Amino acid sequence: MGVIFTVGSSFSLAKTLRDRHEAEKLTSKVEEARVERILTEHKRKKAPTVINH
């Protein structure tokens, strides 16, 4: 009986750790996209204007 509870607890822990890892990956991707957007906007504002004569 104790073995069944141990196995069940192990599966629950594994699922929890997997879900936490996936949430951290998603947060990382969102943060990376935000930084990329900010850098792109900054580069556009900072780019010199080329005047053709």
Side-chain angles (χ1 to χ4, degrees):
M1 188 83 155
V3 172
I4 293 172
F5 287 119
T6 302
V7 170
S9 295
S10 297
F11 277 110
S12 294
L13 178 61
K15 286 183 192 179
T16 302
L17 291 174
R18 179 200 62 205
D19 293 346
R20 184 174 172 189
H21 177 71
E22 288 177 357
E24 287 174 359
K25 281 186 357 184
L26 179 62
T27 303
S28 240
K29 285 182 180 180
V30 168
E31 186 64 29
E32 185 178 329
R34 182 179 298 136
V35 168
E36 186 66 32
R37 181 181 53 90
I38 290 170
L39 288 174
T40 302
E41 288 176 1
H42 181 71
K43 285 179 184 177
R44 275 192 227 147
K45 289 179 182 178
K46 201 168 187 176
T49 331
V50 176
I51 301 173
N52 291 329
H53 292 280

